[in-house]
Amino acid sequence: MANSDFAIVILAAGKGTRLKSAVAKVLHRAGGRSLVEHVVRACVPVKPREIVAVVGHQADDVSAVVTPLGVETVVQEPQRGTGHAMLVARRAISSRAKFAILLPGDAPLIRTETLSALVRAHREAGAAATILSAEIENPAGYGRILRQDDGSVAAIVEDSALTGEQRAICEINSSIYCFTLEKLWPCLATLKPQNVHKELYLTDAIAVLRQRAEKVQAVLATDPEEVLGCNTRADLAAVDAVFRRRKRAAVMDAGVTIELPETVLIDPEVTVGADTRIEPGVQLLGKTRIGAGCTIRTGSVLSDAVLEDNVLVKPYSMVIASHLSRDSQTGPFAHLRDGARLEEKARVGNFVEVKKSVLGEGVKSMHLTYLGDAHIGSGTNIGAGTITCNYDGVNKNPTTIGKRVFIGSDTALVAPVRVGDGAYVGAGSVITKNVPADALGLARGQQVNKLGWAAARRRELSSAAKPKKSRARTKSRRRAKPRRSKRKR
Ligand code: UD1
Ligand code: MG
């Protein structure tokens, strides 16, 4: 059920100057998603009456990410600071909302439970503002919580305005707050752009609330990592590392072995079954689903792949938008893409590319092959170096190979073409016509053996390589040699 008395506001209008990027900050990615998408996903289960995102820089692109997740957007143009952004958000917040959680679009590690706890703490204290703070080892860049001698919050001081003494404060402002709106709005109206950036800082509203003797509290985040913001590329890398570690931990908790986990990258929507083993340097991306008892060997990249149980992916294989049925094997150095499907016990070996093709049960294609737009029946063997010539320069054409077929090495199958059940194709064939079931298809030049030809050719070449002049010189040298040796004696 939605909590009808509070809204959530996500500030996502800023450019992100410190990233030095053409892409708006909140669209940068960490842990397999854009920053703002992480934030929205953490907010939705809190069930507020509405989620409003303040957009501005690349507003359309940011809206395209958040709108499908049920977020309303409001445009801040120009962007005159976090305080100004909240004033702009007011337009979209229902008058029935008493409270608002406010959070930045660049702090993506925040969890739903922490937001719910923040609202609870705010309600229980009857506060005007509740700040989520955190104690972190390196607070540089963050606004700091200034407390009075009695421990109550006096103000938030931005990093750029800190005195030397204040710089030692390790309690930072996460920029995640809960406000009682009727107390906040009048304070926002008094804000002045008294800072180097000439912006209206939301953080200044805290001191104003205090001056008005309103209750302001700061609650420490139990996990300081949760509030990390992304202002720089280094921040993005640090946050990405946390997401990746969390995901690996969840996968290992589900009964999966990961060797050298810090080298393995797993996107948030990936699922992996128990007793699967993942070797170092593996990437599992997109909506990849892996069954139980599989082995994904080193250096392999799987994206939007589906693996049933007991599948073996040997080193350095790419499996992209493809399906591997149980007990199938692929690699090393294989490339399966765009709708490749291996049925049970099918095997694809090294330097084999399979595109939009089905390899039936037990099919083997072990070496140096391209199979594109092909349908291959069960029990068929595809020889080394086989190529389906599926593209005629305009269209992609299908190759259909029946069951228990033997395709000899170095066969080119010029599509569209069919090879019937039980047929053989001789090695080195260029197959341009259908091969009927149980037939032998042979399409290569006739071999001719000319006896003694090579030896005769060698003789001819060696006599051609010795010009007459040089032969004369050699003869005279040979004759001269014994005479010189006689003189020596
Ligand atoms: C802000 C806080 C700082 C806190 C830190 C935590 C202020 C003035 N400072 O600093 O105390 O420690 O977050 O990460 O609030 N935005 C808008 N419109 C604007 C300006 C910003 O929507 O006009 C958005 C940005 O897109 C961003 C968020 O507000 O998502 C915060 O802005 P940012 O510039 O990252 O503030 P910080 O310098 O990190
Ligand atoms: Mg920031």
Side-chain angles (χ1 to χ4, degrees):
M1 210 189 77
N3 295 292
S4 56
D5 64 348
F6 82 93
I8 293 186
V9 177
I10 300 170
L11 303 189
K15 180 173 189 290
T17 314
R18 289 160 281 184
L19 286 177
K20 300 184 177 74
S21 172
V23 177
K25 172 161 66 174
V26 297
L27 294 178
H28 277 260
R29 295 174 78 80
R33 287 190 179 124
S34 65
L35 301 182
V36 72
E37 186 180 345
H38 282 293
V39 174
V40 174
R41 282 175 182 273
C43 290
V44 170
V46 185
K47 298 201 175 98
R49 57 170 305 118
E50 65 227 343
I51 302 178
V52 176
V54 181
V55 297
H57 196 74
Q58 295 178 353
D60 291 346
D61 296 336
V62 178
S63 299
V65 173
V66 301
T67 310
L69 299 169
V71 173
E72 200 182 319
T73 57
V74 54
V75 177
Q76 183 199 16
E77 193 58 66
Q79 295 92 43
R80 292 177 46 226
T82 47
H84 177 241
M86 189 57 186
L87 281 169
V88 171
R90 189 174 185 177
R91 277 186 247 147
I93 300 174
S94 149
S95 56
R96 268 179 288 175
K98 280 198 201 149
F99 310 107
I101 298 180
L102 185 71
L103 67 172
D106 69 346
L109 286 160
I110 191 68
R111 290 182 208 251
T112 303
E113 306 82 70
T114 307
L115 295 176
S116 299
L118 186 72
V119 181
R120 256 197 322 274
H122 185 81
R123 285 182 198 277
E124 280 166 19
T130 302
I131 307 161
L132 183 66
S133 68
E135 277 174 351
I136 61 174
E137 252 176 56
N138 179 14
Y142 289 94
R144 312 292 210 285
I145 306 292
L146 219 64
R147 289 187 186 262
Q148 284 166 336
D149 293 343
D150 64 357
S152 63
V153 175
I156 297 172
V157 183
E158 284 309 294
D159 188 77
S160 53
L162 289 169
T163 63
E165 213 172 284
Q166 289 168 340
R167 207 157 276 285
I169 299 173
C170 282
E171 186 181 8
I172 59 122
N173 166 31
S174 69
S175 228
I176 299 168
Y177 324 80
C178 189
F179 287 110
T180 299
L181 291 170
E182 62 172 11
K183 311 268 186 193
L184 177 69
W185 299 133
C187 295
L188 286 186
T190 69
L191 294 185
K192 300 260 161 11
Q194 287 160 337
N195 50 68
V196 277
H197 296 110
K198 302 274 175 280
E199 290 184 347
L200 299 181
Y201 283 174
L202 180 70
T203 44
D204 291 344
I206 297 298
V208 180
L209 282 168
R210 289 298 290 134
Q211 283 154 20
R212 297 180 176 203
E214 296 293 353
K215 181 161 189 182
V216 175
Q217 60 173 353
V219 270
L220 272 171
T222 38
D223 175 8
E225 258 178 8
E226 255 189 77
V227 304
L228 293 177
C230 295
N231 292 324
T232 63
R233 303 275 175 168
D235 293 339
L236 277 175
V239 162
D240 183 68
V242 176
F243 273 121
R244 301 303 184 181
R245 200 182 64 222
R246 277 186 190 173
K247 180 66 186 180
R248 289 188 302 256
V251 168
M252 289 191 278
D253 271 355
V256 176
T257 296
I258 306 183
E259 295 173 6
L260 290 183
E262 62 282 6
T263 67
V264 171
L265 201 90
I266 310 177
D267 272 354
E269 286 173 51
V270 172
T271 60
V272 188
D275 288 323
T276 283
R277 190 165 66 88
I278 298 169
E279 288 191 354
V282 164
Q283 294 192 13
L284 306 176
L285 309 175
K287 296 184 192 306
T288 292
R289 281 188 286 129
I290 298 177
C294 296
T295 302
I296 318 298
R297 301 210 47 203
T298 191
S300 293
V301 177
L302 280 59
S303 181
D304 296 328
V306 177
L307 275 61
E308 296 180 10
D309 295 345
N310 209 27
V311 169
L312 171 60
V313 177
K314 294 183 186 172
Y316 302 101
S317 296
M318 303 271 290
V319 183
I320 315 297
S322 294
H323 186 113
L324 276 58
S325 303
R326 58 184 303 130
D327 299 313
S328 62
Q329 294 188 15
T330 196
F333 300 100
H335 186 187
L336 274 56
R337 62 182 177 94
D338 305 337
R341 185 179 176 97
L342 304 193
E343 299 293 7
E344 284 183 27
K345 294 188 181 129
R347 287 175 65 181
V348 159
N350 39 193
F351 306 108
V352 174
E353 179 180 356
V354 184
K355 186 220 75 168
K356 225 186 252 180
S357 294
V358 178
L359 276 61
E361 192 177 333
V363 166
K364 281 189 196 164
S365 176
M366 300 304 288
H367 327 271
L368 302 156
T369 286
Y370 173 61
L371 301 169
D373 304 292
H375 193 284
I376 302 168
S378 58
T380 284
N381 188 85
I382 307 289
T386 295
I387 304 288
T388 53
C389 310
N390 59 331
Y391 186 51
D392 58 15
V394 180
N395 295 310
K396 299 282 168 65
N397 299 300
T399 299
T400 308
I401 301 172
K403 296 175 185 166
R404 299 175 309 282
V405 170
F406 177 92
I407 305 286
S409 295
D410 200 22
T411 293
L413 295 148
V414 182
V417 73
R418 304 175 79 88
V419 180
D421 290 350
Y424 265 62
V425 171
S429 289
V430 178
I431 298 296
T432 53
K433 287 185 270 188
N434 292 346
V435 180
D438 296 318
L440 168 67
L442 205 55
R444 62 190 186 208
Q446 285 285 326
Q447 183 171 333
V448 178
N449 289 342
K450 296 187 177 178
L451 298 180
W453 182 94
R457 175 76 176 145
R458 276 194 297 276
R459 279 197 299 277
E460 198 182 307
L461 286 176
S462 71
S463 63
K466 295 172 190 163
K468 275 183 184 161
K469 247 187 178 176
S470 72
R471 250 185 286 147
R473 236 184 279 137
T474 318
K475 269 182 199 163
S476 66
R477 252 187 241 136
R478 261 193 227 131
R479 257 186 266 115
K481 216 176 178 183
R483 261 184 275 164
R484 270 207 302 273
S485 59
K486 263 182 195 169
R487 250 183 257 141
K488 266 188 191 168
R489 271 188 223 130

